[in-house]
Amino acid sequence: GARFKTIALSFVLNVLLQKANHYMQMFDDNFELGKQGEELTIVVKDYQNNGILSSSGLSGGQQFMVSLALALGLADMAENMRSASDTLFIDEGFGTLSEDYLDNVMNCLETLHQRTGKRVGIISHVERLRERIATQIRVGKGKGNKACVVEIESDY
């Protein structure tokens, strides 16, 4: 029982890593996600420095890219399920990215939308994203303690 479960989970993890690495390549081709031996532990291979990084050895931007790649990989795996959604929301993390990584991530998300029709909602305060996102919903404080203002802006 336990051995079968480990084999099945290892198979699923391999599929997830394959799909997530597709996105990691778009973000930064110096990194690849893998397993540590036969364990079900995810490691980050750093080809630039010929090493394996632990999650504590990653910068904030690198942690964000790994998380996003895994989330997009999971979304790809869920495509064949009945309840699969064509919308993914990302809450923050963009502020940890350098300018180059931000461009790579946004290019990847734009390509994802063009290729698959998936929509990605980004919840962020990063000003640099405003020029890259065609449709924006801004929520701000209104008058009084309970009121808020919602503005929708679209370049379409």
Side-chain angles (χ1 to χ4, degrees):
R3 175 100 172 110
F4 175 75
K5 184 169 73 171
T6 301
I7 291 170
L9 288 172
S10 181
F11 175 76
V12 171
L13 181 58
N14 287 337
V15 172
L16 172 60
L17 293 174
Q18 177 187 9
K19 292 184 178 297
N21 277 323
H22 169 76
Y23 296 104
M24 282 300 294
Q25 287 289 306
M26 296 173 122
F27 301 157
D28 187 335
D29 59 3
N30 289 317
F31 298 106
E32 181 180 64
L33 303 176
K35 287 190 327 185
Q36 188 170 1
E38 292 302 311
E39 295 179 28
L40 299 176
T41 304
I42 298 173
V43 296
V44 179
K45 298 173 186 176
D46 180 354
Y47 291 115
Q48 187 173 10
N49 296 311
N50 295 321
I52 293 182
L53 302 173
S54 68
S55 59
S56 62
L58 298 173
S59 70
Q62 292 165 338
Q63 288 176 0
F64 174 75
M65 288 188 298
V66 168
S67 296
L68 180 58
L70 288 167
L72 292 170
L74 279 172
D76 285 355
M77 289 176 70
E79 273 182 2
N80 298 328
M81 302 171 118
R82 277 183 170 174
S83 62
S85 173
D86 64 349
T87 304
L88 174 72
F89 283 93
I90 303 170
D91 185 5
E92 288 301 331
F94 287 90
T96 63
L97 297 174
S98 69
E99 194 75 36
D100 290 340
Y101 282 148
L102 181 63
D103 282 339
N104 290 350
V105 167
M106 290 304 296
N107 289 339
C108 175
L109 295 177
E110 289 167 356
T111 300
L112 176 70
H113 177 68
Q114 292 165 357
R115 264 192 346 193
T116 67
K118 286 190 187 293
R119 291 172 287 207
V120 178
I122 298 172
I123 302 167
S124 183
H125 65 278
V126 176
E127 287 292 324
R128 296 178 293 167
L129 291 175
R130 285 190 180 190
E131 61 196 45
R132 295 287 301 258
I133 299 174
T135 302
Q136 299 176 21
I137 301 171
R138 292 191 202 104
V139 179
K141 291 181 182 180
K143 294 180 181 179
N145 289 338
K146 296 182 183 180
C148 69
V149 176
V150 177
E151 298 175 20
I152 299 174
E153 182 181 309
S154 180
D155 292 344
Y156 292 113

